[in-house]
Amino acid sequence: ARRRALCPLLTPDRLGMPAMFAQDAPWAEAQAELSAMSMYATPRNKCTCLLNCCARLNLGLAARGGGHGADEFLPALVTVMLHCPL
């Protein structure tokens, strides 16, 4: 419930994500990886699930503009995590 209350407040624009990366946020591929978190039992497997989400997100950012770094990645990750049905 608390996460849903933050969704309207923490928009990609407010998080500082450039408009060229925010067009299709949140990205379905990264959300699909993250939504599988409940299927994993061990902390190591949960970290692998998060790493897979980050890899998908990184590919999505690369496809939208090429050069990106932490300033683009972190707001995108926060956006994906807020909108993912966990």
Side-chain angles (χ1 to χ4, degrees), residues 13-38:
D13 183 49
R14 280 193 170 167
L15 291 170
M17 188 187 308
M20 64 186 284
F21 294 115
Q23 292 173 354
D24 296 325
W27 296 279
E29 298 88 8
Q31 284 183 335
E33 290 289 342
L34 197 58
S35 65
M37 180 78 73
S38 63

Side-chain angles (χ1 to χ4, degrees), residues 25-77:
W27 296 279
E29 298 88 8
Q31 284 183 335
E33 290 289 342
L34 197 58
S35 65
M37 180 78 73
S38 63
M39 295 187 327
Y40 297 100
T42 66
R44 181 183 182 109
N45 289 344
K46 289 182 184 287
C47 285
T48 300
C49 179
L50 182 60
L51 183 62
N52 290 340
C53 171
C54 290
R56 294 284 182 150
L57 187 56
N58 197 34
L59 287 174
L61 289 173
R64 284 169 179 76
H68 64 280
D71 291 337
E72 293 80 23
F73 181 80
L74 190 58
L77 181 61

